[in-house]
Amino acid sequence: TLRSPPSALHAPRSTFHVRVSADVRSRSAIFSPALKQPSVESSLDASIKDVAAYGIMVGLGETYLSACALHLGASNLVIGILASVPLFFGACLQPMAANLVDRTGHRRRWYVFGAGLQAATWIPILAAIFLPSPVDLWVLVGSVLLYFGGVHFASPPWNSTMGALVP
């Protein structure tokens, strides 16, 4: 029988596990200072409230962005752009956010920035309804682009924070 040469990929499971665990522990120590139990519990309670608020925002706002564009007279092309380009743009921002967290060691700064951008975009989204055509659609599409940019930019630091809190 043929045997493959030993390599890092074929290392014994326990050796590989120890190396990965040590790396994860060292990174967790950098980004996750030891938290006291009451602090963890209050943070988890706040995260439940955040999820509820996010659900309300998606249900009452985000769901109706395409309907708003239709109300403003958007063509099929504009609806397609509105449904795809902002999500792609936001997904492209996620690695940048993760890199910023790694470089700065701050998670909260970046997810608050993303959430603030996301919240601020509702002002021009709502204002687009009152603007003249075709400016209204440009403002709506641009604002939705920034909205999803903020949502997706905030995701890596937020998920990292939740990963450190949830036991």
Side-chain angles (χ1 to χ4, degrees):
T1 62
L2 295 174
R3 293 186 178 227
S4 59
S7 68
L9 294 176
H10 295 93
R13 180 175 165 79
S14 60
T15 305
F16 180 72
H17 180 67
V18 169
R19 279 192 306 221
V20 170
S21 295
D23 181 52
V24 169
R25 277 195 302 267
S26 65
R27 293 186 110 206
S28 294
I30 293 170
F31 295 118
S32 302
L35 296 173
K36 296 179 181 172
Q37 190 61 25
S39 175
V40 171
E41 289 175 6
S42 66
S43 295
L44 290 173
D45 185 50
S47 73
I48 291 170
K49 293 172 185 169
D50 176 71
V51 167
Y54 183 80
I56 291 169
M57 180 194 61
V58 169
L60 295 178
E62 191 176 308
T63 304
Y64 297 102
L65 291 173
S66 294
C68 179
L70 287 171
H71 173 74
L72 296 176
S75 66
N76 288 339
L77 176 65
V78 173
I79 296 297
I81 289 170
L82 190 66
S84 60
V85 173
L87 292 170
F88 176 73
F89 174 70
C92 291
L93 292 179
Q94 286 184 335
M96 182 174 58
N99 188 30
L100 286 170
V101 169
D102 281 343
R103 284 189 15 223
T104 64
H106 297 284
R107 292 182 290 211
R108 185 176 184 178
R109 173 187 303 168
W110 301 117
Y111 69 72
V112 168
F113 172 77
L117 176 64
Q118 176 188 5
T121 59
W122 281 106
I123 296 168
I125 288 171
L126 294 173
I129 297 168
F130 304 104
L131 295 173
S133 183
V135 175
D136 55 358
L137 286 174
W138 284 103
V139 169
L140 180 68
V141 171
S143 300
V144 171
L145 186 81
L146 291 175
Y147 171 85
F148 281 104
V151 170
H152 290 273
F153 183 86
S155 293
W158 177 256
N159 290 340
S160 175
T161 301
M162 296 299 3
L165 286 175
V166 177

